Amino acid sequence: MKKSAVGSVFALLLISAVVLPVFLSSYQWPGTARDHLELKGVEESGATNLVSAIYLGYRAYDTLGETIVLLVAVTGTIGILKKAGAVIEDRHSFALPGEMRRANYMRTHLLEAVTSKLGPIVLLFGFYVMLYGHLSPGGGFQGGVVVASGIVFLALGSSGNASSALIRQDILGRIEAVAFLMLLILSISGIFTGEGFLDNPLKHYSSLPAAFIIVLNIIIGLKVGAGIGVMCIIMLGKE
Amino acid sequence: MSPEGLAFAPVLLPLLGAAIVFLAKAFFRGRGAVIVEYTGVFTGLYLPWLALIFLFPVVINGSAVTGVIGHWNSGVGISYRFDGLAWMVNVLGYTLGGAAWLHSLSSGPKGPSFSAIFLIQTAALGATIMTADLFNLFVSLEVLGISSYILVSSSEKPGAALASFSYLMVSSTAMVFFLLGLFGLYRITGSLSYEGIAAGLGHLDGNALATAVISLSLLVGAIAIRVAVMPLYGWLPDAHALAPHAVSAVLSGVLIKTPLFALSRILILFPIGKEAGQLMSYAGAATALLAVIIALSQKDVKRLLAYHSISQIGYIVCTWGAAVAVGIGTKAGTLLMAAAFLHALFHAVFKGLLFLSIGSSVDAAGERDVYKLRGAVSILKRSGDKAAIAFFGFLVGALSISAIPPFNGFTSKTAMTYLLKYYGQYGSVLYWILTIAGAGTAASFIKLSRIYWPDKEKISTVFPERTDSGPVLPGVIAIIFLSVLCILGGIFTPLIFKTVTALLSGKSLTMGDGYSFFSTGNLLKSLYTAGAGALVFLLATGNAGSALLKKVRERPRSFQGLFVSYALAAAAMAGWLLYHAAP
């Protein structure tokens, strides 16, 4: 035990000594990329929010990769969850004797009332974040996660009977699959319209320069929302 | 279709295939789901061959498809480069990927989730090798990583989840340092594309030069973990041994080599990159020898194979490093790089074959201990593999890896050792280290072949019936396919070698005037090595030998130890480079 602690401390010190000069460098930041983005970013991409311009414009290919990382992570988690099953040892609950139920014994009427009322509002906010990503902070990933929270709220507030199709695993799985296919088709379509891979295929069809970014934001948002939503619903366990 | 569209086909078709497989999972049930799933797999794993065929004339004369994705300004967009190297690594990936997926129909795991993630992994391989942008390389490696963690954990074996978790922890730790190195380079050059970084490195003063060197060593260290070079190999044996057989084959055959070849694109940007290659070359030789000793000590058949993957990657890293050290653009560099790639390709084929055939055999027997399992041939016959194809597959693979002519391992190992001796620094030392490692390899496969020996001593346990009732045929087809490739690869090596050099440099080169792989000297050397291997095997089975090997097998291993070795390796690389960079 002691020996391993010494080893760890030694390794940490050593690696810090190696890494430190990278941070202490007094070399002047080169500014070409920054200047280009500042001067030409909005004009080239059509997105006022430069973050969107970067992650869905200049570096959309990286974003495609990160979307896939999330997709694989969610698929893998669901696989492991289904294999392992959920075992909760702690039987502690805030539920009053009258509202206690066998499954989902930790839920209360209060929780259900609040989450079921909040759910639609959170969903709406999620779509707002998704749709306005090119103008203000936000975008597909952020909006998608908010949508997923809305879905979790709806599921928590459903009190046993599925009040919304949005909390059904199969429906969410379908939304996710279709959104992923759409994302790929959109990325590839440029090759066939003569623009090239991940180049804006809507260039000639839309007067809105940010149209491609908006569409990508919506699709990524749907995919992320459905993926994380379905994972959370599986984690909540069966009704 | 434009060359640009074609160049992305090896990345996009598997992704499209994965999307189709997800559709199968979400919308279809029963027979329909299977048909749609297979359509997706066909689109993703077999259709890209069409694109590769069309791309061959584009890259064969040494030219490349390059550009910026989305046609942005090259300073801010993502650059890519599809050249001969990318083409070859894709061929490697699709050859083994196609065979391994076929085998998974027999040996599992089945189902759309597995197929989809398998396809995504294949796509990530293509993306890793064709990127010319440092951050995009990071993203590609992340996709590659996460799909492999999931695939490893998809095995039903106990411990697979833990192995996958330790793989994840190690890889993620390495990627943190990769990101730091990336940051360092971006900090001083203001660019993420390889071209931009090379341009930025041109005018740096002393202070920034140190940052560049340290950043480079962080990048190299992180990739060395992925490649499992000594001493950074600790995560690999568990992950490769416990993964499903098809996944093991791809992990060992393709996954650990792709980052290595991607790294050569980075190293050529740096004036100091040659020195980094030199150190990697020495580390590779050490890896080849040490890993084979550990392999010889293993009990579990797949763990033994996993250590051989480390050993064989050592050969590749050694030759690859020597190529980088003499300069990839030079004739010697091209020859060495071609030999390294040749072995990477041949290793993928024979190691894939070994994992699949051994996997079929141990599945049929329900026993993985090399000391307990005997008579696997008759077990195979009982399990439905009537002609014991898996045994013949093992035989071809074992003869290949032990460098017995005319199988493919013989020619690629001959090419590597010959060229190292001729062109490499301390070449004759490297030559002997690799030759001794070759004897160890032969010994180790004599040991492994014992599982097929008749069960005279009746030490085998009672075997359970085959529980996993997948059809035997796809697995057998995969094994036959790879076996044939092993033999064809060996016979047509001169032609393949010429093509590889042409893909690398635009000019086709040969090993040397009048050089013959099947010369008497080379054949005799192979005979001596095999003889030495038999001797080592006898020594290892003796009392003193087995006591020593037991110690090697039971040496303590920990995540913490791995982290310490990472710190040491990164510091050693940084120190070595700073020492050589000093004016």
Side-chain angles (χ1 to χ4, degrees), chain A residues 104-231:
Chain A
N104 296 326
Y105 56 87
M106 285 169 84
R107 291 194 193 167
T108 62
H109 292 319
L110 184 63
L111 178 84
E112 274 161 10
V114 172
T115 51
S116 61
K117 298 290 178 293
L118 270 180
I121 301 171
V122 174
L123 272 184
L124 189 65
F125 178 65
F127 282 108
Y128 162 76
V129 172
M130 208 189 284
L131 284 168
Y132 283 75
H134 62 296
L135 296 176
S136 56
F141 284 101
Q142 296 87 333
V145 177
V146 179
V147 165
S149 349
I151 292 172
V152 174
F153 274 18
L154 288 180
L156 282 175
S158 67
S159 68
N161 51 339
S163 54
S164 157
L166 260 186
I167 63 169
R168 278 172 49 191
Q169 289 178 24
D170 53 338
I171 301 278
L172 287 174
R174 284 175 188 185
I175 295 177
E176 192 187 14
V178 171
F180 182 53
L181 185 68
M182 292 283 290
L183 178 64
L184 279 174
I185 289 176
L186 262 182
S187 311
I188 298 172
S189 55
I191 295 175
F192 297 98
T193 58
E195 310 294 335
F197 173 50
L198 270 175
D199 203 341
N200 182 357
L202 308 172
K203 221 178 257 175
H204 307 299
Y205 307 102
S206 163
S207 54
L208 195 63
F212 192 46
I213 291 184
I214 297 173
V215 176
L216 284 180
N217 259 334
I218 295 172
I219 290 174
I220 291 177
L222 287 177
K223 206 200 87 50
V224 171
I228 295 189
V230 79
M231 189 175 77

Side-chain angles (χ1 to χ4, degrees), chain A residues 4 8 15 18 21 23 25-27 29-30 36 57-59 61-62 68 71 76 83 174 184 192 195 197 199, chain B residues 4 15 22 26-27 69-73 120 133 135-136 150 153 177 180 187-188 190 204 207-208 214 560:
Chain A
S4 69
S8 304
I15 201 75
V18 172
F23 291 101
S25 171
S26 58
Y27 193 77
W29 282 88
H36 180 88
Y58 297 108
R59 304 194 67 91
Y61 186 48
D62 285 343
I68 291 167
L71 174 73
K83 224 187 316 183
R174 284 175 188 185
L184 279 174
F192 297 98
E195 310 294 335
F197 173 50
D199 203 341
Chain B
E4 185 199 315
L15 288 183
F22 277 121
F27 285 95
I69 295 168
H71 301 138
W72 302 99
N73 187 305
I120 288 175
D133 182 283
F135 190 79
N136 191 243
I150 303 291
S153 75
F177 291 102
L180 285 174
R187 166 85 180 72
I188 54 173
L204 290 179
N207 182 0
I214 287 170
Q560 187 253 354

Side-chain angles (χ1 to χ4, degrees), chain B residues 467-480:
Chain B
T467 46
D468 161 27
S469 55
V472 178
L473 190 64
V476 169
I477 293 174
I479 290 173
I480 294 177

Side-chain angles (χ1 to χ4, degrees), chain B residues 552-573:
Chain B
V552 173
R553 184 171 62 235
E554 285 164 6
R555 75 203 182 290
R557 293 182 302 140
S558 64
F559 176 69
Q560 187 253 354
L562 201 62
F563 185 65
V564 174
S565 30
Y566 175 76
L568 281 174
M573 180 54 98

